[in-house]
Amino acid sequence: MIKNVQVRMARAGLGWKNHELATAAQITGNTVSKFERGGGVHASTVEALQSALEAAGVQFIDDGERIGVTIKKPEQQ
C-alpha cells in the first residue's frame, strides 16, 4: 500500500493542487489532506488515490529500503 509521503511527492511532481487529485480520485480535498498528514482513511480511498496517480503516469517505488515515485513523461503529440 502506498504511503502518504508518496502521495505528496507524486502530487508535487505532477504539479497538481489538492483539489486536482481529489477530483481525479473522486474523493474530497479534505480526505486528500487528511491522508497526506498521516491520518487514517479507508483502504478504498488509498486505492482511489493510487489509481488516479498511476493513471497520470506515476509509478510508486517501495523496495524495502527506499520509497518514492517516478513520473512517466507524457507522450508527445
Side-chain angles (χ1 to χ4, degrees), residues 10 14 16 24 50-59 70-74:
L14 292 170
W16 282 9
Q50 183 169 349
S51 293
L53 290 166
E54 287 175 341
V58 174
Q59 295 177 318
T70 61
I71 301 173
K72 183 178 176 183
K73 290 181 180 179

Side-chain angles (χ1 to χ4, degrees), residues 3 7 13 20 36 47 50 56 64 71:
K3 311 271 191 286
V7 172
E20 291 170 298
E36 286 186 350
E47 290 169 5
Q50 183 169 349
I71 301 173

Side-chain angles (χ1 to χ4, degrees), residues 41-54:
V41 297
H42 294 281
S44 60
T45 300
V46 179
E47 290 169 5
L49 288 165
Q50 183 169 349
S51 293
L53 290 166
E54 287 175 341

Side-chain angles (χ1 to χ4, degrees), residues 7-8 10-12 14-36 41 44-53 56:
V7 172
R8 288 194 312 265
R11 195 163 57 79
L14 292 170
W16 282 9
K17 297 191 182 308
N18 176 301
H19 69 87
E20 291 170 298
L21 175 53
T23 298
Q26 298 180 346
I27 60 176
T28 68
N30 287 339
T31 302
V32 173
S33 295
K34 180 179 180 179
F35 182 71
E36 286 186 350
V41 297
S44 60
T45 300
V46 179
E47 290 169 5
L49 288 165
Q50 183 169 349
S51 293
L53 290 166

